[in-house]
Amino acid sequence: MSGLSGRKEQILRAVVIEYVTGSEPVPSDLIASKYELGVRSATVRNEMAEITELGLLEQPHTSAGRVPSDVGYRYYVDRLVAQRTVSLDESSRIRGAADEEEPLRELMQETAKALSRLTHLLSAALTVRNADVTVRNAVLTAIGPDKGLVVLVLQNGHVENRLVDLPTGVTLEHIGAVNELLTTLAAGVTLRQIERSKVPGSGNAAVDRLGRLCHTALRGMAKDLTRGHLVTEGEEYIFAQPEFLRSPDALASLVRSMEDEDTLISALGAPITGPGEVTIGREHASEAMRPLSMVRQTFYVGENEAGTLAIIGPTRMDYDRNIALLDFTAQAVSQTLTKLMG
């Protein structure tokens, strides 16, 4: 789409701001009286009618006011979003969650919770589901006379574990021998290689039996991890948004999208082509996601992609603030993970 005139852009920006704030269709007289456009209400009304004909605004049949369309929001995001910095309170709360020296899953949970409370929207985190992520190490620890814990640590900071039943008669020497085997088998290899690997024999029946149990646990973890781990926080905020409370059909669609983890994983895991990637309404591949907009950003360990953070809400969201918050949060998480695991 070719660019709008300067005045039309001012009007479109004003309509977006007013609709995001008030969640009600925006009349032309409000724009004329509140914003210094230098023209009368009739001129603003005509301009809004022309913007509507271009497909950037819509007029609900029950109101003379206008609301942004998905195309209008796209124009706004691509050309009109204001560059802003996070406030001291926002940065403090984000860093308070993102600076925790915790395993990746717990770090993501706390970060998503902080984002959700700041935005009053749904926030999500998806750890990278690349089968070529490298294993840092794997170890078996005895946690009782008949129970062991197999721990898998990845280079991107993620830690996964599985309980295993220890065979009768297992000794600390057996566990030490299995840990040597696990180091040979797993350290420095990819999750894909773990899934396809075979456990080598040691010549000791007890060690081989325990090694097979641990290898089964490792392969199960590798299979789960290549799917990606999803964390969400704030479903209660998104269900309370006015547009969903007013429309039973929209609310039903929203419930379906929130219940389908595969839909969210697919949406979060799509390629990100630039900072502050935004998917708006009908741009989503999944119909269930089309009442929503999603802002996404990648976080890293060093130069290696570790996962994706997202803020998800109605298309009527504060794009300026959410893009800035998410960029800041992704940087904070990346710094923490790089310090711990880089």
Side-chain angles (χ1 to χ4, degrees):
M1 173 180 287
S2 60
L4 299 175
S5 68
R7 186 161 64 203
K8 282 186 171 66
E9 285 193 344
Q10 286 180 291
I11 291 171
L12 176 61
R13 177 170 174 76
V15 172
V16 170
I17 291 171
E18 292 300 323
Y19 187 57
V20 166
T21 303
S23 73
E24 294 290 344
V26 182
S28 58
D29 57 354
L30 174 64
I31 302 299
S33 63
K34 189 171 180 178
Y35 294 84
E36 297 180 357
L37 300 175
V39 295
R40 296 179 179 180
S41 179
T43 303
V44 174
R45 184 164 54 252
N46 290 336
E47 294 275 38
M48 289 175 67
E50 291 178 12
I51 300 171
T52 302
E53 290 177 3
L54 292 170
L56 280 73
L57 296 178
E58 296 174 341
Q59 184 176 24
H61 66 278
T62 57
S63 170
R66 302 298 203 278
V67 301
S69 66
D70 289 352
V71 177
Y73 283 125
R74 170 51 59 197
Y75 190 100
Y76 179 87
V77 167
D78 289 347
R79 307 188 189 210
L80 304 178
V81 161
Q83 298 294 319
R84 59 155 294 194
T85 57
V86 299
S87 69
L88 289 176
D89 177 63
E90 290 168 342
S91 64
S92 175
R93 292 168 67 178
I94 291 297
R95 289 201 178 279
D99 284 352
E100 294 293 329
E101 295 187 2
E102 298 177 334
L104 181 58
R105 181 177 295 184
E106 287 76 11
L107 179 65
M108 291 300 93
Q109 196 81 53
E110 290 305 311
T111 301
K113 187 180 297 183
L115 270 177
S116 180
R117 289 175 176 174
L118 280 169
T119 62
H120 285 191
L121 295 173
L122 176 70
S123 62
L126 180 68
T127 56
V128 71
R129 51 180 176 172
N130 186 348
D132 292 323
V133 172
T134 303
V135 175
R136 192 170 197 173
N137 66 285
V139 64
L140 170 66
T141 302
I143 57 174
D146 58 354
K147 293 290 182 182
L149 189 70
V150 180
V151 181
L152 180 67
V153 182
L154 304 184
Q155 290 289 1
N156 67 5
H158 188 77
V159 179
E160 192 80 6
N161 58 70
R162 292 286 189 278
L163 281 172
V164 293
D165 293 321
L166 299 179
T168 303
V170 166
T171 66
L172 291 177
E173 287 75 16
H174 293 148
I175 291 175
V178 166
N179 279 328
E180 291 181 8
L181 183 152
L182 291 178
T183 297
T184 301
L185 179 70
V189 306
T190 66
L191 290 176
R192 179 181 286 110
Q193 291 171 314
I194 290 286
E195 284 191 83
R196 298 173 179 175
S197 66
K198 295 181 179 180
V199 61
S202 69
N204 182 300
V207 171
D208 289 347
R209 183 181 178 190
L210 184 56
R212 287 193 295 272
L213 287 173
C214 293
H215 182 248
T216 298
L218 283 179
R219 291 184 65 187
M221 286 187 278
K223 183 176 181 180
D224 290 344
L225 287 168
T226 54
R227 184 173 181 267
H229 178 70
L230 177 68
V231 169
T232 60
E233 287 283 346
E235 288 87 348
E236 68 276 13
Y237 293 126
I238 200 169
F239 288 137
Q241 295 297 319
E243 45 270 86
F244 301 130
L245 294 177
R246 288 194 295 257
S247 171
D249 290 341
L251 184 59
S253 176
L254 179 64
V255 170
R256 287 194 299 272
S257 66
M258 295 299 100
E259 289 178 343
D260 186 357
E261 186 173 285
D262 289 339
T263 296
L264 284 176
I265 288 176
S266 178
L268 265 74
I272 293 179
T273 58
E277 183 86 4
V278 181
T279 308
I280 300 168
R282 295 181 182 88
E283 296 173 357
H284 286 289
S286 170
E287 185 175 350
M289 293 288 292
R290 289 176 185 169
L292 303 169
S293 282
M294 176 185 291
V295 184
R296 293 181 295 143
Q297 185 57 278
T298 304
F299 59 90
Y300 297 86
V301 175
E303 297 181 356
N304 298 315
E305 183 178 335
T308 302
L309 290 169
I311 297 171
I312 305 168
T315 54
R316 182 193 58 81
M317 69 155 62
D318 187 343
Y319 293 97
D320 304 58
R321 180 175 186 245
N322 292 339
I323 290 171
L325 271 175
L326 201 62
D327 285 350
F328 181 86
T329 304
Q331 291 174 20
V333 170
S334 297
Q335 289 169 3
T336 297
L337 291 176
T338 299
K339 180 176 65 177
L340 294 175
M341 307 299 296

